[in-house]
């Protein structure tokens, strides 16, 4: 598969985001943008969907869109299965556009920049899939269970994790895969840990800018606790024998390295888990560039002292 179409798609998405960022620096930020956020958050049935960006990223990688009924949600996925019987790598998207302002939830959590999808599109493995979080991309008519609770305080609620887990099972079965390798970006990293804690077929966990300890996260940012959500940090001991690699951007002020270290601290043994800081990478920027180098290598457990 040629890399050039994917590079062009990434450049297009980044260019669009740059325009948005430039516009947010002046009076538009102070007056017009908050008004647009309010309208988007309050208008009945409004949808902030950038399907074109998702399609532009996915098409060169042959990631075909599917709607999968999983638990009480219908999830949007994109899948490429070229080798029946081989392992499958499944990417879980981030939280997306969860909040219009610091205190006002958005009306639709579909991300402007689907980072996990961009990463999936760069993965050369024969079997690759991507799962959008509940209520992202899927038309509201297909998803009557959607409510802002599921992308705010309940973004990692038991119903959410059960739904993603069901989708992982369905995708794995369609590929007849013996194992799944989970990759999660931002809040999708926490979801990956929680899904892995429910399963015995996870070969590895990789997260990028992963929010792995939501209590530490809410304390850091002095925001209200995500009372409806499961805490990935509470699952750390359950998955401590699963090989895992957690990458953190050195310039990430949203999910800094302290969050991943708090997650590791909850483990009895840490020989299967590593945290690596990548200089110059922020929460939103730089991940597709570094992923080209990182994607080929799966994490492995180090020998325990007793095994040496």
């Amino acid at each position: 598969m040629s890399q050039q179409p994917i590079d062009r798609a990434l450049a297009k998405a980044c260019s669009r985001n740059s325009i948005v960022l430039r516009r947010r620096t002046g009076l538009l930020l102070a007056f017009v943008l908050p008004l647009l956020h309010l309208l988007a958050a309050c208008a009945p049935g409004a949808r902030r969907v950038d399907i074109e960006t998702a399609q532009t990223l996915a098409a060169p990688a042959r990631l075909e869109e599917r709607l999968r009924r999983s638990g009480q949600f219908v999830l949007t996925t994109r899948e490429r299965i070229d080798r029946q019987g081989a392992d499958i790598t499944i990417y879980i998207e981030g939280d997306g556009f969860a909040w219009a302002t610091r205190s006002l939830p958005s009306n639709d959590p579909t991300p402007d920049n689907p980072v996990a999808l961009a990463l999936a599109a760069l993965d050369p493995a024969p079997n690759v899939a991507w799962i959008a979080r509940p209520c992202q991309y899927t038309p509201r008519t297909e998803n009557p269970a959607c409510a802002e609770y599921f992308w705010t305080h309940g973004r990692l609620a038991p119903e959410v994790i059960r739904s993603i887990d069901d989708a992982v099972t369905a995708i794995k079965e369609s590929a007849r895969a013996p194992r799944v390798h989970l990759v999660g970006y931002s809040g999708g990293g926490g979801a990956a840990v929680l899904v892995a804690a429910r399963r015995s077929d996870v070969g590895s966990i990789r997260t990028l800018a992963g929010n792995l300890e939501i209590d530490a996260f809410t304390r850091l940012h002095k925001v209200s606790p995500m009372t409806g959500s499961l805490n990935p940090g509470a699952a750390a001991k359950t998955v401590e024998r699963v090989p895992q690699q957690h990458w953190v951007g050195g310039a990430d002020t949203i999910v800094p390295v302290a969050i991943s270290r708090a997650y590791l601290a909850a483990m009895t043994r840490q020989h299967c888990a590593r945290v690596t800081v990548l200089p110059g990478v922020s929460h939103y920027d730089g991940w597709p560039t570094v992923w080209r180098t990182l994607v080929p290598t799966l994490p492995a457990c180090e020998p325990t002292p007793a095994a040496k």
Side-chain angles (χ1 to χ4, degrees):
M1 173 172 50
S2 172
Q3 190 64 48
Q4 291 182 348
I6 295 175
D7 289 340
R8 285 196 296 270
L10 289 169
K12 182 177 180 181
C14 291
S15 174
R16 182 177 303 163
N17 288 340
S18 296
I19 292 171
V20 171
L21 287 173
R22 287 197 297 271
R23 287 175 178 172
R24 288 179 179 176
T25 60
L27 291 177
L28 187 59
L29 175 63
F31 299 104
V32 179
L33 192 60
L35 177 59
L36 292 177
H37 280 163
L38 285 169
L39 292 173
C42 300
R47 297 179 67 236
R48 289 186 66 264
V49 180
D50 195 345
I51 296 175
E52 180 185 350
T53 296
Q55 181 60 24
T56 300
L57 288 169
R62 297 186 295 106
L63 291 166
E64 297 184 2
E65 185 180 52
R66 290 196 59 171
L67 295 180
R68 289 189 176 274
R69 184 166 296 280
S70 301
Q72 69 185 64
F73 300 102
V74 175
L75 300 184
T76 296
T77 71
R78 289 185 178 269
E79 306 167 23
R80 181 184 73 240
I81 298 173
D82 287 342
R83 188 183 302 165
Q84 290 283 327
D87 287 357
I88 187 164
T89 303
I90 300 179
Y91 291 72
I92 303 175
E93 192 54 73
D95 295 335
F97 185 65
W99 295 88
T101 69
R102 185 176 175 87
S103 59
L104 180 69
S106 74
N107 190 63
D108 188 314
T110 297
D112 291 319
N113 179 18
V115 174
L117 178 56
L119 303 179
L122 293 170
D123 196 323
N127 297 335
V128 175
W130 164 84
I131 301 175
R133 302 278 285 282
C135 311
Q136 295 178 356
Y137 293 98
T138 310
R140 193 62 57 86
T141 54
E142 299 281 346
N143 240 350
C146 278
E148 66 182 37
Y149 166 78
F150 291 114
W151 60 83
T152 55
H153 299 296
R155 66 185 68 175
L156 295 178
E159 303 97 312
V160 169
I161 301 306
R162 189 178 308 116
S163 177
I164 297 173
D165 184 39
D166 287 349
V168 169
T169 296
I171 294 169
K172 178 196 172 189
E173 290 177 350
S174 68
R176 300 178 184 174
R179 298 186 304 171
V180 297
H181 299 278
L182 298 176
V183 182
Y185 164 71
S186 191
V193 167
L194 291 167
V195 168
R198 297 169 57 95
R199 309 181 65 91
S200 60
D201 57 358
V202 175
S204 69
I205 303 168
R206 287 172 287 174
T207 71
L208 303 93
N211 188 357
L212 305 178
E213 224 302 336
I214 63 172
D215 290 344
F217 175 83
T218 55
R219 286 195 301 268
L220 173 69
H221 292 286
K222 299 179 181 178
V223 295
S224 57
M226 287 185 265
T227 51
S229 292
L230 300 172
N231 188 357
K237 288 184 181 179
T238 305
V239 299
E240 66 181 10
R241 295 180 183 273
V242 178
Q244 48 195 291
Q245 171 68 61
H246 307 288
W247 288 285
V248 181
D252 191 344
T253 59
I254 297 175
V255 184
V257 68
I259 304 300
S260 294
R261 287 174 176 162
Y263 164 78
L264 257 65
M267 295 180 175
T268 304
R269 292 184 291 182
Q270 301 177 5
H271 66 289
C272 289
R274 297 182 184 86
V275 172
T276 303
V277 178
L278 302 175
V281 178
S282 70
H283 191 73
Y284 298 108
D285 299 322
W287 293 111
T289 300
V290 299
W291 192 237
R292 292 183 174 90
T293 301
L294 301 176
V295 66
T297 304
L298 291 175
C301 297
E302 296 177 353
T304 61
K308 291 182 179 179

